[in-house]
Amino acid sequence: MKSTLLNILLPLLITAAFAREGKAQPAQQNLNISFLLDLSDRIDPKKNPDLYQRDLGYIKSIETAFVNHVKGKKMMLLNDQMQVFFDPIPKIPNINLLSQQLKVSFNPKTSKKDILSVDNSYTQISAKIYQHTIKYGHYVGSDIWKFFKNNVQDYCIKDQHRNILIILTDGYMYHQDSKFLDNGKSSYITPAFIQAKKLTSADYRAIIKKNNLGFIPATGNLQNLEVIVLGINPSKQSPYEEDIIKQYWTDWFKAMKVKKYYLKTADLPANLAPVLQEIISGGNKS
C-alpha cells in the first residue's frame, strides 16, 4: 500500500517541482529592436566633431546587448529581430542594400555563424551610412514626428515581442515637411522656438502648462512600445534647455501611451554602454 501511494505521489511531487522552477525562471522575451537615425546636420563633423562616432558607439552597445540576448536563448526558441529606419531616406548610394543588411532576424533555423556575424558587421554597415551622408553633405534631416504618425505602428511593433525603438537624435525635433501648430502644441521644437516661447527660466513648467505647450500627439495606443531617446544635446543658451527638451518628450510619450521610455543625454558610449545593456536585458525598471 505504501509503495503504491509512493508511486502515485512521487510523479506529482516531481511535476510540482518543475512547475515551481518554471515560474521562477520565466521564458526570455522575443526582442524586436528598431533604430530611427537622425541624419540631420547634427552629425556634420564641422558642427559636432565626434558626434557620429558616439552614435556608432551607442549602436554597438545596443547590438551587443541584442546578440547577448540571442546567445542566451535556446535555438528552438529564437524569434528576435533588429532593424534600422530613416525618415526621410538619405540620399546616398546603395541605401536600400545597406538598409537590408541592417535588418537581421533570428529563428530556430538560424546558424550560430549568422548570429556571430552580426557582431562583426552591424556597426561597420551603420558607419558606411554615416560616412556617406557626411561625404555627400545631403543632410535630409529627420522627420521623427511623421515617422510616429505614419510608420511606428507598422514598422516597430510586433505581436508577442518586446518592442523597443531607439531614436538617435539631439532631442530637438524639426523637419520642414512636418511643421504644424495646434492650439499651442507643435510638431517641432528648436532652440529658437524655446527662446520665442520664453522657456528660459526655472518656471518653464508653469509656462508650458499656461500656454498648452508641447508636441502634438502623432498617434496613440503605443502600450506595446518602449522608446529610448539617445544623444540629447541641448543648446547652451539656457541652463534649463535640457529640462525643457525632456519635458516635451515626456509629455509626448505619455500622450501617446508609450509603455516605457528613457531619455538619455549625450555622453561617452563607454559610460552609457552598461546602462543601455541593462535596459535591453530588462534589468532597468525605471
Side-chain angles (χ1 to χ4, degrees), residues 4 147 208 258:
T4 302
F147 183 84
I208 288 174
V258 170

Side-chain angles (χ1 to χ4, degrees), residues 21 46 50 65-66 78 96 98 101-102 118 128 142 153 157 195 204 210 218 225 230 233-234 259 261 265 271 277:
E21 184 179 356
K46 296 177 182 177
D50 66 341
F66 174 78
L78 288 184
N96 188 58
L98 294 172
Q101 291 173 334
L102 291 174
V118 176
K128 288 182 181 179
S142 182
Q153 293 274 8
I157 298 177
Q195 290 286 322
Y204 66 87
K210 179 181 177 181
L225 182 68
L230 267 178
N233 189 24
K259 179 180 180 179
Y261 55 88
T265 305
N271 294 337
Q277 292 183 30

Side-chain angles (χ1 to χ4, degrees), residues 98-113:
L98 294 172
S99 180
Q100 287 179 348
Q101 291 173 334
L102 291 174
K103 292 183 186 296
V104 296
S105 181
F106 298 132
N107 57 60
K109 296 181 179 180
T110 301
S111 69
K112 290 185 177 180
K113 181 181 178 181

Side-chain angles (χ1 to χ4, degrees), residues 41-58:
D41 61 355
R42 75 181 187 94
I43 67 169
D44 185 347
K46 296 177 182 177
K47 186 174 182 179
N48 296 299
D50 66 341
L51 194 144
Y52 96 89
Q53 293 286 1
R54 290 193 182 193
D55 274 15
L56 294 177
Y58 302 150

Side-chain angles (χ1 to χ4, degrees), residues 51-232:
L51 194 144
Y52 96 89
Q53 293 286 1
R54 290 193 182 193
D55 274 15
L56 294 177
Y58 302 150
I59 292 172
K60 179 62 178 176
S61 296
I62 299 290
E63 173 266 310
T64 299
F66 174 78
V67 170
N68 287 342
H69 166 84
V70 170
K71 289 178 179 176
K73 294 178 72 174
K74 293 182 179 179
M75 295 296 290
M76 67 178 66
L77 297 178
L78 288 184
N79 185 11
D80 305 86
Q81 64 182 45
M82 184 167 61
Q83 55 270 318
V84 174
F85 298 109
F86 325 92
D87 195 332
I89 298 170
K91 299 177 181 178
I92 59 175
N94 300 320
I95 184 57
N96 188 58
L97 176 61
L98 294 172
S99 180
Q100 287 179 348
Q101 291 173 334
L102 291 174
K103 292 183 186 296
V104 296
S105 181
F106 298 132
N107 57 60
K109 296 181 179 180
T110 301
S111 69
K112 290 185 177 180
K113 181 181 178 181
D114 289 336
I115 296 173
L116 294 175
S117 70
V118 176
D119 257 338
N120 298 325
S121 64
Y122 213 82
T123 309
Q124 294 177 17
I125 298 168
S126 301
K128 288 182 181 179
I129 293 173
Y130 278 85
Q131 290 163 359
H132 282 320
T133 302
I134 292 168
K135 177 181 177 180
Y136 291 98
H138 295 309
Y139 299 110
V140 295
S142 182
D143 199 340
I144 297 170
W145 190 88
K146 191 179 75 174
F147 183 84
F148 269 81
K149 182 179 183 295
N150 295 338
N151 302 128
V152 76
Q153 293 274 8
D154 292 335
Y155 293 178
C156 305
I157 298 177
K158 189 174 182 180
D159 289 342
Q160 299 181 342
H161 282 70
R162 182 182 173 209
N163 301 292
I164 306 174
L165 170 62
I166 296 101
I167 306 175
L168 296 182
T169 182
D170 54 14
Y172 296 105
M173 194 186 299
Y174 178 85
H175 195 274
Q176 60 184 9
D177 295 335
S178 295
K179 188 178 179 183
F180 311 112
L181 294 170
D182 184 8
N183 192 29
K185 296 196 182 299
S186 62
S187 60
Y188 61 95
I189 185 172
T190 64
F193 180 87
I194 290 173
Q195 290 286 322
K197 296 299 180 181
K198 302 188 185 306
L199 296 171
T200 55
S201 59
D203 62 346
Y204 66 87
R205 288 191 184 89
I207 297 172
I208 288 174
K209 184 177 180 179
K210 179 181 177 181
N211 296 290
N212 192 40
L213 301 178
F215 290 132
I216 301 168
T219 185
N221 300 318
L222 297 181
Q223 295 94 335
N224 292 324
L225 182 68
E226 300 175 41
V227 184
I228 306 172
V229 181
L230 267 178
I232 294 175

